[in-house]
């Protein structure tokens, strides 16, 4: 599988690093998601995309839309003993679920946001974007999470499980090289990956993940329309011509497949966690 191009947070410098920091401060998220790390490899795409999201679509409106997104979760909490039996203690499961919770929030925000951004590529009138003002860090910003594990840093069984998980549902074209960052983050806890794989295989073979993805894609498109109208009213800068085709291709893949696929998976993993071991916002 070819490696999907990205500029990792640890490798970012200059304007890219500054944009990554602003994404986290403005969104309140603990990490920069793969789609933005990929956009950084397309000249002009990250600058245009983030400025449009930040100044024209705007996060308060995005968060309101995200709150209305209906994401299914399959299954019920597993007893704590099920995790302990495969070598996962409470602290490890809490840490893994904190990572899952961060991705669930980010993916819901990004599914709506990037669906609107994809539409804006077509309809933006080339008006000057609103002047960028200082970002305010949201008080509810996520706690730090461990770094992503590089594929070549994993042992062979862990790498095999990550790649097997990548085939669950549909993250995009088979030759794209996309490996969802959530699985690479969860590689810190290989037994948890094994448990996740056992849960997802029957959901995938039954078609439940595919149907959930398709329904989320349609819901996100409906929710994005008013965001597009409001963004156009504020003004949206022109996207550099050379960036249009590669950015469009990436956004189509991530909104139509990757993110919409990972949302029900992430919510399922949270639902399977013992309630007392989940992050505070997900207990009960």
């Amino acid at each position: 599988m070819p490696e999907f191009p990205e500029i990792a947070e640890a490798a970012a410098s200059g304007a890219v690093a500054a944009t990554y920091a602003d994404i986290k401060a403005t969104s309140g998220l603990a990490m920069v998601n793969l789609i933005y790390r990929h956009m950084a490899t397309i000249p002009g795409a990250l600058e245009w995309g983030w400025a449009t999201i930040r100044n024209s679509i705007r996060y308060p409106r995005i968060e309101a839309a995200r709150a209305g997104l209906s994401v299914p979760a399959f299954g019920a909490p597993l007893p704590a003993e099920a995790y302990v039996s495969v070598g996962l203690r409470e602290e490890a499961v809490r840490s893994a679920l904190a990572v899952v919770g961060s991705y669930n929030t980010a993916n819901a925000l990004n599914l709506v946001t990037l669906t609107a951004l994809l539409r804006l590529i077509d309809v933006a009138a080339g008006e000057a974007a609103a002047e960028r003002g200082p970002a305010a860090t949201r008080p509810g910003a996520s706690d730090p999470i461990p770094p992503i594990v590089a594929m070549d840093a994993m042992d062979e069984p862990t790498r095999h499980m990550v790649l097997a998980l990548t085939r669950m549902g549909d993250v995009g074209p088979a030759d794209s090289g996309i490996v969802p960052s959530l699985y690479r983050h969860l590689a810190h806890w290989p037994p948890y990956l094994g448990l996740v794989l056992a849960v997802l295989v029957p959901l995938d073979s039954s078609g439940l993940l595919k149907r959930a993805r398709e329904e989320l894609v349609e819901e996100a498109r409906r929710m994005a329309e008013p965001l597009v109208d409001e963004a156009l009213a504020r003004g949206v800068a022109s996207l550099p011509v050379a960036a249009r085709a590669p950015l469009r291709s990436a956004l189509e893949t991530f909104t139509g497949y990757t993110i919409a696929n990972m949302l029900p998976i992430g919510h399922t993993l949270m639902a399977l966690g013992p309630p007392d071991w989940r992050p505070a916002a997900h207990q009960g």
Side-chain angles (χ1 to χ4, degrees):
M1 179 184 291
E3 187 172 339
F4 189 68
E6 63 169 288
I7 296 179
E9 286 192 63
S13 61
V16 171
T19 301
Y20 283 0
D22 195 43
I23 289 171
K24 291 194 288 187
T26 304
S27 67
L29 299 174
M31 71 288 190
V32 176
N33 290 99
L34 177 57
I35 180 59
Y36 298 109
R37 304 196 310 267
H38 174 66
M39 287 166 64
T41 69
I42 304 170
L46 181 64
E47 297 89 336
W48 177 83
W50 180 241
T52 301
I53 291 166
R54 190 184 188 281
N55 302 322
S56 300
I57 301 176
R58 298 188 179 180
Y59 253 84
R61 188 69 177 85
I62 293 168
E63 289 183 328
R66 185 265 302 178
L69 194 65
S70 300
V71 182
F74 305 107
L78 295 174
E81 291 77 10
Y83 292 91
V84 174
S85 71
V86 296
L88 290 165
R89 298 189 178 276
E90 179 176 350
E91 181 179 357
V93 177
R94 282 185 177 276
S95 297
L97 290 178
V99 170
V100 171
S102 293
Y103 274 91
N104 287 349
T105 299
N107 282 334
L109 286 167
N110 288 331
L111 182 59
V112 176
T113 305
L114 299 173
T115 298
L117 196 65
L118 178 59
R119 177 69 176 141
L120 283 169
I121 292 176
D122 292 329
V123 301
E127 303 160 359
E131 184 177 350
R132 178 172 172 152
T137 302
R138 293 168 55 239
S142 300
D143 293 331
I145 59 178
I148 288 174
V149 180
M151 295 296 290
D152 59 6
M154 301 175 194
D155 59 38
E156 190 58 30
T158 300
R159 185 174 183 275
H160 179 79
M161 284 191 292
V162 167
L163 293 176
L165 284 164
T166 297
R167 294 190 288 272
M168 296 296 102
D170 195 344
V171 299
D175 62 351
S176 68
I178 294 173
V179 177
S181 299
L182 173 59
Y183 300 143
R184 293 166 59 195
H185 257 122
L186 294 178
H188 286 283
W189 306 280
Y192 188 73
L193 288 177
L195 190 65
V196 169
L197 188 57
V199 168
L200 294 185
V201 166
L203 295 177
D204 181 41
S205 60
S206 70
L208 280 174
L209 294 180
K210 179 177 184 291
R211 289 194 294 275
R213 173 183 63 78
E214 292 172 341
E215 290 171 2
L216 278 170
V217 168
E218 290 305 312
E219 185 175 359
R221 286 173 179 164
R222 291 192 299 270
M223 297 174 72
E225 283 304 315
L227 301 185
V228 170
D229 293 339
E230 293 169 14
L232 289 171
R234 295 186 184 103
V236 177
S238 293
L239 173 65
V241 174
R244 290 177 189 172
L247 180 56
R248 168 189 287 283
S249 177
L251 292 177
E252 285 179 340
T253 297
F254 274 79
T255 59
Y257 294 92
T258 312
I259 299 174
N261 186 69
M262 293 306 298
L263 265 170
I265 288 174
H267 280 244
T268 294
L269 300 188
M270 187 62 70
L272 294 172
D276 291 345
W277 291 7
R278 297 176 194 166
H282 301 273
Q283 289 182 2

